[in-house]
Amino acid sequence: MTSRGGVWAVNGVNMPPSSLLRPELWLSRAMSRRVLEPDCPGKRWLCPRCGRQVAGLGNPGLPGTRHSVGMAVLGQLARRLGVADSWTRDRRCVADLALAPLGDAQLVLLRPRLLMNVNGRSVAQAAKLFGLTAEEVYLIHDELDKPLGKLALKLGGSARGHNGVRSCISCLNSSLVRQLLYLVPGP
């Protein structure tokens, strides 16, 4: 991994998507870094210091588009964690949810059922439902501004023109969400 300007990049140039991502290993390593350990706010549904929400941003019903790459990566993560068949629809947060253990952590996997530009409503409602802070939310989404075939982790910051991320930042009232960027070709 290399770091530049608060972004962690994992080399993966010219590799097929299935071998480019080892999401369970990558996420486990990212969560074990001291910088990713937020302070525990007290009473929690999930175990203290171990709960995380991973949201795959995208447009439901439009698989295979660049905007839905977040949902595709989340689906791959769910398969690797063995919870691909345990998705349940939750009307409170207008999303499909799956709970997955990862080492000492409990992950809330979230596929919003809203359009990309309002995915933040689902992400924020699920975070509230499970007692998670913005610092404990990871967003997986497409990114156009970096070289193709890279995976990067951005720790907080702006949406950089991405309406789905902007929606999440607005609904969570915080720019401290972690962004897992999957770099795709432009339109």
Side-chain angles (χ1 to χ4, degrees):
M1 282 198 228
T2 59
S3 173
R4 193 172 55 197
V7 176
W8 288 92
V10 180
N11 287 333
V13 178
N14 297 327
M15 295 177 70
S18 62
S19 62
L20 172 64
L21 291 180
R22 292 279 320 242
E24 75 284 358
L25 179 63
W26 183 88
L27 192 58
S28 177
R29 286 182 185 162
M31 288 173 50
S32 69
R33 296 178 106 21
R34 189 98 178 128
V35 71
L36 298 182
E37 292 290 332
D39 291 331
C40 191
K43 185 178 176 186
R44 310 278 298 270
W45 177 82
L46 301 169
C47 64
R49 292 192 173 276
C50 295
R52 299 290 187 272
Q53 175 181 323
V54 182
L57 303 186
N59 288 313
L62 296 173
T65 64
R66 71 174 179 86
H67 254 345
S68 295
V69 73
M71 289 185 172
V73 171
L74 188 69
Q76 178 75 0
L77 177 61
R79 278 188 292 284
R80 297 215 180 197
L81 293 172
V83 295
D85 296 331
S86 66
W87 292 100
T88 58
R89 186 170 291 182
D90 190 305
R91 290 183 182 181
R92 295 168 292 183
C93 53
V94 193
D96 296 331
L97 298 172
L99 298 178
L102 179 64
D104 293 336
Q106 180 77 346
L107 298 180
V108 177
L109 305 180
L110 177 103
R111 286 190 310 213
R113 298 191 63 76
L114 300 171
L115 294 176
M116 172 68 87
N117 293 354
V118 290
N119 274 182
R121 294 179 192 168
S122 294
V123 171
Q125 189 60 34
K128 181 179 176 184
L129 180 68
F130 290 101
L132 300 172
T133 64
E135 295 86 2
E136 296 164 319
V137 173
Y138 290 79
L139 304 177
I140 304 173
H141 62 88
D142 60 299
E143 177 62 47
L144 300 175
D145 296 337
K146 302 282 184 196
L148 176 63
K150 296 282 186 176
L151 182 65
L153 175 65
K154 183 172 186 273
L155 307 175
S158 74
R160 299 183 336 178
H162 194 289
N163 290 334
V165 175
R166 182 177 295 127
S167 172
C168 292
I169 289 171
S170 174
C171 291
L172 289 167
N173 294 318
S174 175
S175 64
L176 298 177
V177 296
R178 276 102 170 124
Q179 300 175 39
L180 178 59
L181 316 171
Y182 186 75
L183 309 169
V184 297

